[in-house]
Amino acid sequence: MSKIIVLMGAPGAGKGTQARLLEERMGLSHISTGDMFREMKRAETPLGERLRDIMSSGALVPDDLTIRLVEERTGQDDCRNGYILDGFPRTTAQAEMLERLAASRGHRLVAVFVDVPFDIIEKRVTGRRTCPVCGEIYNVYFKPPARDEVCDLHPETRLNRRADDNAETIKARLATYEQETRPLLDYYERTGRLRRVDGTRDSEAIYADIEKAVNGE
Ligand code: AP5
Ligand code: MG
């Protein structure tokens, strides 16, 4: 049966990093609601402006908009044989919607929790840099590019710092995560679908655990 891999974890836990490896190596589509909203917020429209406000405050985008977006994206052809969700679901309403979606399309769900304590998160997030062309994720402390502030694959492109990667917004994002999203871990645990991996090690060791968790299903 086709699978939906749900990557869970605090801001900066490494969901995007692992999702990109899974996409490349397992050939499943990577759906990041954060990336989709970042793309949408660039538009000079009332919606773009609203998203800029919400995301810079560290709050969540409303469920109705988020759910509609995921419903539409996962209905596309490349998701027929399963996909990776990075940053979704984040609320009970989103998790309920995903259950209905998975059931209606005959997909089985496995939730993988990338566990990283909060004291490590700060360096992960403040050190993050992203290539605006290919989306490659770097870290000035843990995974620096070969040349400072420049993508290895796109040497003509300066790396970006995310607008929400500042100390104040990170604090708010962590609080939102604790309140809205962490309770979903209990839900997936109770229903026997949660796998925990230690997210403090290097990316390849984490990937190996995720692969085992997903294939062991
Ligand atoms: P989103 O973009 O999903 O952000 P997030 O959940 O805060 O997670 P991050 O992207 O910050 O971290 P990550 O876990 O992907 O870590 P990464 O791999 O980059 O959401 C942004 C906003 O959009 C939300 O605040 C909300 O407003 C809105 N939103 C999104 N989805 C929503 C939803 N479903 N509902 C409502 N609103 C929603 O890694 C971080 C850094 O660590 C990088 O520099 C990386 O190189 C480094 N790193 C990774 N792994 C390792 C390792 N093993 N060792 C050392 N360094 C590592
Ligand atoms: Mg991410």
Side-chain angles (χ1 to χ4, degrees):
M1 190 190 249
S2 303
K3 269 178 206 145
I4 302 173
I5 303 172
V6 177
L7 288 177
M8 318 244 350
K15 302 182 292 297
T17 300
Q18 293 300 325
R20 288 173 67 84
L21 293 176
L22 286 163
E23 177 177 44
E24 191 185 304
R25 298 174 188 181
M26 288 194 180
L28 291 172
S29 291
H30 167 201
I31 300 173
S32 159
T33 41
D35 286 349
M36 290 163 90
F37 289 137
R38 270 185 290 283
E39 185 66 42
M40 288 164 71
K41 88 181 163 122
R42 283 202 207 112
E44 295 298 328
T45 58
L47 176 61
E49 195 177 324
R50 195 164 158 226
L51 289 174
R52 283 194 287 279
D53 285 347
I54 294 171
M55 291 167 82
S56 63
S57 74
L60 293 180
V61 176
D63 279 336
D64 55 346
L65 174 60
T66 309
I67 285 172
R68 239 185 300 131
L69 191 73
V70 170
E71 204 161 18
E72 192 187 300
R73 176 65 188 89
T74 58
Q76 291 173 11
D77 273 359
D78 64 320
C79 294
R80 203 176 295 149
N81 297 322
Y83 47 90
I84 304 151
L85 284 174
D86 157 11
F88 183 96
R90 274 166 132 108
T91 65
T92 305
Q94 293 179 16
E96 286 170 352
M97 169 270 188
L98 183 60
E99 297 291 13
R100 289 195 296 275
L101 201 69
S104 73
R105 295 178 184 162
H107 288 144
R108 198 149 49 107
L109 181 156
V110 53
V112 179
F113 173 44
V114 184
D115 192 2
V116 179
F118 282 178
D119 56 328
I120 297 181
I121 294 283
E122 197 184 348
K123 261 191 155 172
R124 292 247 183 127
V125 180
T126 53
R128 172 168 43 202
R129 302 288 185 275
T130 314
C131 174
V133 177
C134 64
E136 186 62 19
I137 306 168
Y138 296 92
N139 191 289
V140 297
Y141 306 110
F142 306 118
K143 191 193 170 194
R147 274 175 52 212
D148 271 1
E149 305 295 336
V150 172
C151 179
D152 294 349
L153 306 170
H154 298 92
E156 73 290 357
T157 308
R158 278 191 77 75
L159 299 175
N160 275 344
R161 246 193 106 157
R162 255 169 58 176
D164 59 349
D165 279 349
N166 61 76
E168 200 184 322
T169 310
I170 293 164
K171 225 162 121 194
R173 284 161 60 200
L174 285 170
T176 304
Y177 168 76
E178 273 301 305
Q179 200 178 334
E180 305 277 347
T181 308
R182 191 183 263 282
L184 298 183
L185 296 177
D186 295 335
Y187 169 68
Y188 287 123
E189 181 121 85
R190 275 201 312 277
T191 50
R193 293 170 298 172
L194 187 74
R195 305 288 175 267
R196 290 172 191 271
V197 301
D198 174 358
T200 61
R201 297 158 309 145
D202 71 74
S203 295
E204 288 297 337
I206 299 167
Y207 179 81
D209 276 4
I210 296 180
E211 194 180 33
K212 256 186 260 158
V214 169
N215 290 334
E217 276 290 305

